[in-house]
Amino acid sequence: MQKNHTYRHELKFRISMADYLAIRQRLRSVMKPDEHARKDGRYLIRSIYFDNPDDKALREKINGVQKREKFRIRYYNDDFSFILLEKKIKHNGLCMKIDARLTENECRTLLKGDRSHMMAHPFGLVRELYCKMNSQQLRPRVLVSYIREPYVYAAGNVRVTFDSHIRSTLFHRSFLEERVSDIEVIDNPGDMILEVKYDAFLPDVIRFLLQTETIRQQAYSKYGACRRFG
């Protein structure tokens, strides 16, 4: 799965339901729904985030460290046939994501604490996680779930997503389950997170369509929001 990776811009906005409806209506005139979305234009994302006993990833986010990374395991629509290990790197406001495919068995083995298969894994990212699970004591800490509605625009490689129903597994420590027990973490349940990702430039037409008087760019971490509960 690994390929050439480049840093991308990433903007985040916390928006109301009214903002969502207005912005989505405008974006639909020029942007296309992501082809991987379900018939309703959305999909469910679940991410298992790793951190160490000192909450290194969480503290670096809170303290605004300019270069930081997070490891996570991600799957979609509760389908265990397609699972990715991802490393998200943030450097001076730019983001890059590196990924590697895991089988369900590899994933379950890793989550149970058996890392014997990782050292000789064909993907370098899996071997890197193996080293950091040993040297930094990285361990799976929380399952973050949300519904994503994605739109794409070819010029600038723009991707706009609306994320809602952000949920956390609280103090739950079991992962990759058929049935997940979790709770909503956004204070205003109707609010959403609008994310805008692009390469070198954001086309003026997209920038214009995103403008409203009520939204402001802000830092928001789903992982950080969910870790408030354990």
Side-chain angles (χ1 to χ4, degrees), residues 23-35:
I23 295 171
R24 183 184 66 168
Q25 183 177 9
R26 295 200 296 265
L27 288 178
R28 282 179 166 179
S29 64
V30 297
M31 300 189 76
K32 297 180 179 179
D34 188 306
E35 62 181 7

Side-chain angles (χ1 to χ4, degrees), residues 61-171:
K61 168 62 183 176
I62 293 172
N63 294 331
V65 175
Q66 287 302 301
K67 187 171 184 179
R68 57 185 187 269
E69 66 182 27
K70 287 197 296 280
F71 284 88
R72 66 192 179 200
I73 290 172
R74 174 165 286 189
Y75 55 102
Y76 302 85
N77 298 324
D78 288 330
D79 178 7
F80 299 151
S81 68
F82 185 81
I83 301 174
L84 292 175
L85 170 66
E86 297 181 342
K87 180 173 77 167
K88 187 172 183 181
I89 305 166
K90 190 144 191 176
H91 190 195
N92 293 329
L94 298 176
C95 295
M96 180 169 61
K97 188 169 66 176
I98 302 170
D99 55 40
R101 183 83 177 266
L102 293 176
T103 67
E104 180 180 351
N105 183 62
E106 288 173 336
C107 185
R108 291 190 182 279
T109 301
L110 187 164
L111 293 172
K112 287 178 181 176
D114 182 356
R115 303 190 292 277
S116 58
H117 67 288
M118 297 175 65
M119 186 168 58
H121 199 279
F123 286 128
L125 184 62
V126 179
R127 300 194 298 271
E128 180 182 348
L129 178 60
Y130 169 82
C131 293
K132 291 181 177 177
M133 289 182 77
N134 288 323
S135 63
Q136 299 181 13
Q137 298 301 304
L138 291 182
R139 297 293 184 271
R141 296 300 300 268
V142 70
L143 175 66
V144 176
S145 305
Y146 53 95
I147 301 294
R148 169 161 285 180
E149 183 177 342
Y151 295 88
V152 295
Y153 187 76
N157 190 21
V158 181
R159 183 176 177 83
V160 175
T161 58
F162 299 96
D163 295 340
S164 61
H165 300 90
I166 302 170
R167 302 180 67 84
S168 169
T169 47
L170 199 61
F171 294 98

Side-chain angles (χ1 to χ4, degrees), residues 6-9 94 154-159 197-202:
T6 58
Y7 280 100
R8 282 164 57 81
H9 297 268
L94 298 176
N157 190 21
V158 181
R159 183 176 177 83
K197 299 175 184 177
Y198 57 97
D199 289 346
F201 68 98
L202 181 62

